[in-house]
Amino acid sequence: IKELTEYKIYNRWGQVVFDGGSDQFASWDGKYNGEDQEMSVYVVIIKGKGAYDTDFEFKKNLTLIR
């Protein structure tokens, strides 16, 4: 990764529950506004620039288990 431009986690209703901004080392603790989120599947979207300034977008499911 040359440059990270977006790092967000969404719940199943499309609400952003974590916004890491451009910090590639940011981590989500499973909370939103200080409240534990339910065990469920969330969507992680990461966007940025790779080698030779090519844009990339990475989408993956994340399962929160307690």
Side-chain angles (χ1 to χ4, degrees):
I1 296 175
K2 184 175 179 181
E3 176 186 357
L4 187 67
T5 57
E6 181 180 318
Y7 171 23
K8 294 182 180 178
I9 300 176
Y10 297 82
N11 64 17
R12 63 180 151 183
W13 297 283
Q15 178 183 26
V16 176
V17 295
F18 176 76
D19 188 346
S22 61
D23 182 358
Q24 65 183 358
F25 299 107
S27 61
W28 184 45
D29 61 2
K31 296 183 181 206
Y32 176 65
N33 287 334
E35 303 225 358
D36 286 340
Q37 295 301 289
E38 64 180 285
M39 290 193 303
S40 185
V41 176
Y42 295 81
V43 176
V44 178
I45 298 180
I46 298 173
K47 296 179 183 179
K49 294 224 179 255
Y52 308 107
D53 286 329
T54 56
D55 293 329
F56 71 87
E57 180 174 293
F58 174 81
K59 293 181 183 178
K60 210 64 167 163
N61 289 337
L62 166 79
T63 303
L64 178 61
I65 299 173
R66 296 196 185 281

